[in-house]
Amino acid sequence: MLERDFVGHARTVPLPRWPDGSLVAVNVVVNVEEGAEAAWPDGEGNDSWGEYALPIDPAIRDLGTEGHYEFGSRVGIWRLVRLFERFDVPVTFGVSARALERNPPFAAWLRRSGHDVLGHGYRWAEVSAMTEEQERDDLEHAMRVLPELVGRPVRGWYVRSFPSERTRRLAAAHPDLTYDSDAVNDELPYWTEVDGAPWLVVPYSKVYNDTRYFLAPTYATPRHFAETLIGAAGFLLEEAHDGAGARLMTVGLHPRWSGQAARATAVRDFLAWVAGQPEVTLVHRGQVADWWTEHASP
């Protein structure tokens, strides 16, 4: 059974600043899931994470929700790409491998771009509903497909919603993976132990995440999302100035949601704010993992 840690870094300051001199590092993670979700044509029923939460009998095809996912891959991802190119942002794309297989133009762009890639399963499915063998097979399938599609190694892993008790052990057993991002129990990276060896955790966030458009308390407008992100980054900067040390902020986006024109304004406004803060830097997750490994080793 996994042990719980209620202490974490406590009042220690693992790093006074990030190696590039910044006080706050912001990592934008784009969850590329469209095409990997459960869908009737794949014999998997329907997935409820669209623009509405009406339960549809799995025996009946839910064209409405399918359309919301297709918007993400057809339109939303490119709208976000244009914003990232406009602000010259290094981004982490958390990719479900089947989604990338089904969107060759985006796969080709991602391969050329050099952006960071984080493994997000082959299918976008709840691993807690799988057997250990099924979860291992899904991880290994993704880790065969993703490096071939993106043309570079994939070193990090996270799953849909929340991990199972075995997820970290399965990730640590894969020879190419060096960290996981399933934890939401901290902001800074930290070291833990898996089967007697040190293992790096770079936490994710369910709070600075556009899922809050749909999960209570919801954002009534994109302005509320932008204000939340700017408020968080500003507060982290204050903490760093007061001696708390280097801070990390993770922002989670989804093409089918933040790729809608109105909601993209929140992303735009946040990136514009960050661009005006000399002590706040935009980084990808691989950089954070490398920095922590080099400067805050276990």
Side-chain angles (χ1 to χ4, degrees):
M1 181 176 292
L2 292 175
E3 295 184 5
R4 300 179 69 188
D5 180 356
F6 292 93
V7 176
H9 294 296
R11 300 201 70 177
T12 62
V13 179
L15 293 178
R17 284 181 177 265
W18 293 106
D20 68 351
S22 63
L23 288 174
V24 178
V26 175
N27 174 224
V28 176
V29 180
V30 180
N31 296 269
V32 181
E33 300 155 348
E34 293 82 359
E37 81 284 0
W40 192 86
D42 297 307
E44 298 166 355
N46 299 309
D47 199 292
S48 60
W49 272 100
E51 282 286 330
Y52 56 88
L54 296 176
I56 305 296
D57 186 331
I60 301 171
R61 187 173 181 181
D62 184 359
L63 289 172
T65 297
E66 286 181 28
H68 292 306
Y69 280 91
E70 290 163 16
F71 179 91
S73 63
R74 291 163 61 102
V75 180
I77 189 63
W78 299 113
R79 178 165 287 135
L80 293 176
V81 162
R82 289 191 292 271
L83 276 177
F84 301 144
E85 291 176 339
R86 173 178 165 186
F87 288 95
D88 193 24
V89 180
V91 175
T92 295
F93 288 91
V95 179
S96 296
R98 191 171 76 179
L100 203 58
E101 286 180 325
R102 291 175 166 178
N103 195 346
F106 176 68
W109 176 87
L110 186 56
R111 186 183 183 96
R112 294 191 304 268
S113 73
H115 283 289
D116 187 36
V117 177
L118 180 65
H120 196 29
Y122 180 73
R123 294 174 53 228
W124 189 59
E126 297 291 356
V127 298
S128 57
M130 299 178 185
T131 66
E132 178 164 341
E133 183 180 5
Q134 288 170 332
E135 184 176 356
R136 181 186 294 108
D137 288 348
D138 184 83
L139 184 152
E140 292 179 351
H141 191 177
M143 290 299 292
R144 287 192 301 271
V145 170
L146 281 175
E148 293 179 2
L149 288 172
V150 302
R152 52 191 174 278
V154 173
R155 297 188 294 130
W157 186 258
Y158 73 137
V159 298
R160 173 172 173 163
S161 298
F162 298 101
S164 71
E165 282 196 297
R166 59 188 172 253
T167 299
R168 179 167 293 157
R169 172 171 51 83
L170 293 175
H174 194 282
D176 295 336
L177 292 171
T178 60
Y179 71 93
D180 76 69
S181 287
D182 283 308
V184 293
N185 59 355
D186 210 311
E187 293 168 342
L188 289 174
Y190 61 89
W191 294 96
T192 187
E193 189 175 284
V194 180
D195 292 335
W199 177 254
L200 181 62
V201 179
V202 184
Y204 188 60
S205 175
K206 306 289 188 181
V207 175
Y208 307 123
N209 196 304
D210 60 8
T211 55
R212 308 308 298 196
Y213 285 115
F214 302 95
L215 298 175
T218 60
Y219 300 127
T221 73
R223 177 171 52 83
H224 293 159
F225 188 28
E227 288 175 352
T228 297
L229 299 181
I230 292 169
F235 189 87
L236 291 172
L237 187 57
E238 289 179 19
E239 283 190 325
H241 282 146
D242 289 341
R247 307 278 89 191
L248 175 64
M249 178 179 175
T250 297
V251 178
L253 305 177
H254 298 75
R256 62 189 179 278
W257 295 328
S258 285
Q260 299 282 347
R263 297 181 189 133
T265 64
V267 182
R268 177 201 65 195
D269 293 350
F270 177 62
L271 295 178
W273 181 87
V274 170
Q277 307 297 318
E279 292 180 303
V280 180
T281 189
L282 287 155
V283 299
H284 62 64
R285 222 158 187 74
Q287 283 176 274
V288 174
D290 289 342
W291 283 345
W292 209 260
T293 299
E294 183 177 356
H295 300 280
S297 57

